[in-house]
Amino acid sequence: MTGVLIVGGSIAGVRTAEGLRRLSYEGGITILEAGPDLPYDRPALSKQLLAAGESAESVMLRSQADLDKAGIELRRGCRAVGLDVEARTVRLADGALIDYSDLVIATGSAPRKLPAAHGVHYLRTLRDALDLRDAIEGPVRVVVVGAGFIGSEVAAAATARSASVTVVEPYAFPLGRVLGDLVGKRLARLHESKGVQLILGRSVREVGADGAGGRRVVLDDGTTLDCDVVVVGIGATPRTGWLAGSGLDVADGVGCDEFCHASAPHVFAAGDVARWPNALFAEVMRIEHWTNAVEQAGVVAWNIVHPDKPRAYAPVPYVWSDQYGSRLQIVGRPRADDEVRIVLDDPADGSLVALYVRDRRLAGAFALNAPSQTLQLRRALAARAPLDEIMATIGVEY
Ligand SMILES: Cc1cc2nc3c(=O)[nH]c(=O)nc-3n(C[C@H](O)[C@H](O)[C@H](O)COP(=O)(O)OP(=O)(O)OC[C@H]3O[C@@H](n4cnc5c(N)ncnc54)[C@H](O)[C@@H]3O)c2cc1C
């Protein structure tokens, strides 16, 4: 086979393949996917599947017929274990070698493991989500470790399914490390208003059996929490283990240039696994969000088809999260140490918009139930508009 080889059959991999076809690429496209399933949508695992109780079919991204129609070969249960950038081959677990004219690394990320934790759930795959859904059915006691996006969405889903939920978070507030205390406090109220118990400023020392068929969570101050289910959501790490020895730069993801081109000819990376310099923010980034995987895949496809006129990838980062019927959105690069200005706070509909200002420029924004303002702010960030102009656009005086 000589054509484009994509390792990783999730959103970044599938969108790269489809992008190539849209750009009239006529060569072979093969996707290697370690997992057993057709491509599915990970954001839907914690939302449609876990919170809303929808079927596994509802989270599928593409059917086999869709892939066949697009001329995309998906090889499931097929794990890449090595890469030779000189020979331009990828090695599979059974020793077989597959050659490529261009390679796209789209192996995503894996949940960070909590040390000394036994019998806990993580949420990354369809199987994880189905197992967790079974486990949180009914009035069970759930401890969630980590109040980031995944932990918070799991807390919301478990609450909706009648579980009693405790969240343990080492920072002072949920998402406080990124968004700071002002917004973090508001998110804490959102959890607490739904009956979730937050234990903030504490971390988990270990998780084991409670001696009665359940789990016992021991915190760093010695407090113990007995429960039925423990879910850990403490971040993710890029899946680059299979690239060891390839010579690629894989310190915190696959290092790329502004064209998403890795440190060897004809090798690209997209999605959670890719790290690249974003000229719009003058910052090297690796982003673990769905929209980034989609947008970066589009640029990689373009740059494979048009090596003579490559496009730099310089997006405004965006992420959404659905919790307790509210939509959270973040655009740009907010930081806890930015100046935070709340420019909208309407108790009537629960909407909130916070701007994150750095050096008198907008660096990012957080919005709760304010999708149209989020869109405007994303556009304004892309244009690097001055702050007073941005405030005027969203109808707020500077
Ligand atoms: C529960 C959950 C909820 C989320 N919700 C949101 C949300 O609301 N908003 C948002 O913006 N983002 C959300 N995300 C993040 C988003 O899903 C990811 O950013 C996105 O899936 C990244 O896509 P990817 O294709 O880069 O990587 P992944 O989706 O991680 O896929 C990588 C694929 O590569 C395969 N693979 C790995 N190693 C190998 C190998 N050696 N050989 C072959 N195949 C391999 C894996 O099996 C996997 O299928 C959520 C994630 C999870 C888990």
Side-chain angles (χ1 to χ4, degrees), residues 7-13 32-35 40-47 78-81 106-110 123-125 150 153 239 242 270-273 287-291 293 318-322:
V7 185
S10 182
I11 187 73
L32 306 180
E33 167 53 45
Y40 54 86
D41 215 16
R42 284 184 213 283
L45 298 180
S46 47
K47 302 172 186 70
C78 199
R79 181 176 293 281
V81 297
T107 43
S109 55
L123 179 55
R124 186 77 201 174
T125 65
I150 298 221
E153 289 194 355
R239 280 192 194 268
W242 68 283
D272 283 14
V273 79
I287 294 184
E288 293 169 357
H289 301 319
W290 189 91
T291 305
Y318 167 77
V319 58
W320 84 95
S321 172
D322 294 335

Side-chain angles (χ1 to χ4, degrees), residues 260-341:
C260 310
H261 200 264
S263 54
H266 299 282
V267 181
F268 297 81
D272 283 14
V273 79
R275 168 172 49 86
W276 87 105
N278 183 335
L280 191 61
F281 288 80
E283 187 186 331
V284 175
M285 299 184 175
R286 191 176 66 74
I287 294 184
E288 293 169 357
H289 301 319
W290 189 91
T291 305
N292 176 67
V294 169
E295 294 177 347
Q296 198 162 24
V299 170
V300 166
W302 174 273
N303 290 346
I304 289 172
V305 174
H306 298 287
D308 45 329
K309 39 180 180 173
R311 287 186 180 157
Y313 182 53
V316 176
Y318 167 77
V319 58
W320 84 95
S321 172
D322 294 335
Q323 300 171 22
Y324 310 104
S326 285
R327 169 145 294 194
L328 287 68
Q329 293 170 298
I330 300 175
V331 288
R333 298 295 275 177
R335 278 198 329 228
D337 60 353
D338 288 334
E339 180 197 338
V340 182
R341 295 186 196 175

